[in-house]
């Protein structure tokens, strides 16, 4: 798994980049990465998927409760498993979110030989979310960068989204959440000592400290 950080040390050669948060890497995200891979490999390029560490909401709304479906390491592994040749993690900080849409695209162009960009229909970028897919296509077109916009994937008559999955998990409907994720939901953590109640129950247990 190849993980890049920020705009530095990107691979040489033609690159096609998927830009998004991709929290949870659900079935909708997986389809976008599949399209990215087809797009990139069809032009002899590398498929690079991006994400953020930490999630943008943790910087833009620091008082919000923790809501990540996966941490940066797990997201990177899931994006790679979905078909990305490399993953770039952008550092979420005030300086990053202060960039205008044009400044962001200029930084992206400076990071490597970017030939194509893949995003979802609701993609926004730049300071105060000033940029949308129309502005992206316009700015990228000035530099002969192709833009592919991938429509959302639906299930049960509604769009698959990370927010929808979070709400299902909060409601305890892990089965429906797994259907939208395309895999069972899991939580990673460190094994710790507990109250040793498993011994009294007659079978061993594992205590996991979750974030």
């Amino acid at each position: 798994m190849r993980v890049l950080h920020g705009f530095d040390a990107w691979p040489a050669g033609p690159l096609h980049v998927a830009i998004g948060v991709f929290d949870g890497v659900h079935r909708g995200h997986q389809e976008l990465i599949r399209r990215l891979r087809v797009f990139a490999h069809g032009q002899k390029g590398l498929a690079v998927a991006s994400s953020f560490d930490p999630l943008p909401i943790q910087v833009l709304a620091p008082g919000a409760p923790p809501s990540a479906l996966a941490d940066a390491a797990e997201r990177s592994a899931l994006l790679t498993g979905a078909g990305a040749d490399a993953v770039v993690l952008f550092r979420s900080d005030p300086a990053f979110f202060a960039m205008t849409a044009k400044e962001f695209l200029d930084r992206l162009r400076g990071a490597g030989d970017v030939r194509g960009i893949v995003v979802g229909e609701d993609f926004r970028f730049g300071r105060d979310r000033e940029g949308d897919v129309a502005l992206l296509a316009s700015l990228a077109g000035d530099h002969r960068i192709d833009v592919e916009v991938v429509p959302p994937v639906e299930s049960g008559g509604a769009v698959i989204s990370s927010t929808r999955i979070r709400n299902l998990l909060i409601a305890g409907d892990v089965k429906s959440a797994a259907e939208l994720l395309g895999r069972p939901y899991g939580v990673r953590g460190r094994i710790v000592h507990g109250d040793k109640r498993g011994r009294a129950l007659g079978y061993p247990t594992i205590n996991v400290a979750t974030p």
Side-chain angles (χ1 to χ4, degrees), residues 59-147:
V59 175
L60 299 175
S67 61
L69 293 172
D71 62 20
E74 187 176 5
R75 263 180 277 131
S76 298
L78 290 168
L79 288 167
T80 300
D85 297 310
V87 176
V88 56
L89 294 175
F90 292 119
R91 179 68 183 171
S92 295
D93 58 27
F96 184 94
F97 296 120
M99 282 190 289
T100 65
K102 183 180 182 304
E103 287 170 341
F104 172 75
L105 189 64
D106 287 343
R107 291 292 304 277
L108 198 69
R109 289 175 48 240
D113 183 13
V114 177
R115 304 284 184 87
I117 298 173
V118 179
V119 295
E121 287 184 349
D122 60 350
F123 177 69
R124 307 288 302 198
F125 70 114
R127 186 172 55 210
D128 298 326
R129 293 168 56 85
E130 66 179 355
D132 56 11
V133 292
L135 181 59
L136 175 65
S138 175
L139 293 174
D142 291 340
H143 301 283
R144 298 183 179 179
I145 298 174
D146 296 324
V147 173

